[in-house]
Amino acid sequence: MTVLERYNAALTEESKREASLAAEAAKKGDARTQSIHLMKASMLGDMLKVLGRVEHEGKRPNALETLIGSFSEEAERQRKLGDYDASDRAEQKAITVQFALDALREAERDGE
């Protein structure tokens, strides 16, 4: 299995987990938590798979780190504005991208 195949498999697995958590939240009537888990599941699809690929191939070095920084800055900005929901969403996005970065680094360490 190649680096990118391992990376994509890890993201697919995590996306399924997030979708399952969204379904559990929906059963409990927790629309906000459901929405956050669906957002994370969606990010773990094509968006982060493509960004991980272009980073791995060297086409866009540090793409994932840059995105983490951007979401972290947005979280802090929203927190200062008092919009804690938007801050939490941006923070959850940063956490999701960090998961992807960690999965990519792990796949790269394991080699092709």
Side-chain angles (χ1 to χ4, degrees), residues 32 36 39-40 43 67-79 83-99:
R32 183 180 182 284
I36 288 173
M39 172 190 72
K40 292 173 80 171
M43 289 176 68
L67 194 54
I68 292 166
S70 176
F71 285 138
S72 295
E73 289 171 10
E74 178 66 13
E76 184 59 29
R77 188 175 77 74
Q78 292 297 337
R79 192 172 4 268
D83 189 341
Y84 299 108
D85 182 60
S87 175
D88 182 48
R89 285 183 176 280
E91 191 172 310
Q92 290 301 315
K93 289 177 183 178
I95 289 167
T96 304
V97 178
Q98 183 66 57
F99 173 87

Side-chain angles (χ1 to χ4, degrees), residues 24-37:
E24 288 177 26
K27 287 179 186 174
K28 295 177 183 175
D30 186 347
R32 183 180 182 284
T33 300
Q34 177 190 14
S35 174
I36 288 173
H37 287 298

Side-chain angles (χ1 to χ4, degrees), residues 2-106:
T2 69
V3 167
L4 290 176
E5 287 170 337
R6 280 194 297 279
Y7 172 71
N8 288 340
L11 267 57
T12 296
E13 183 73 23
E14 186 68 5
S15 179
K16 288 177 184 176
R17 190 182 76 78
E18 289 293 343
S20 176
L21 291 170
E24 288 177 26
K27 287 179 186 174
K28 295 177 183 175
D30 186 347
R32 183 180 182 284
T33 300
Q34 177 190 14
S35 174
I36 288 173
H37 287 298
L38 288 173
M39 172 190 72
K40 292 173 80 171
S42 176
M43 289 176 68
L44 289 159
D46 291 342
M47 177 187 137
L48 288 173
K49 287 178 181 177
V50 169
L51 285 175
R53 179 179 50 80
V54 298
E55 180 164 324
H56 174 68
E57 293 173 349
K59 293 177 183 174
R60 206 166 152 217
N62 303 315
L64 295 171
E65 290 96 340
T66 300
L67 194 54
I68 292 166
S70 176
F71 285 138
S72 295
E73 289 171 10
E74 178 66 13
E76 184 59 29
R77 188 175 77 74
Q78 292 297 337
R79 192 172 4 268
K80 286 179 180 177
L81 293 172
D83 189 341
Y84 299 108
D85 182 60
S87 175
D88 182 48
R89 285 183 176 280
E91 191 172 310
Q92 290 301 315
K93 289 177 183 178
I95 289 167
T96 304
V97 178
Q98 183 66 57
F99 173 87
L101 177 59
D102 293 345
L104 180 60
R105 295 297 177 249
E106 184 176 329

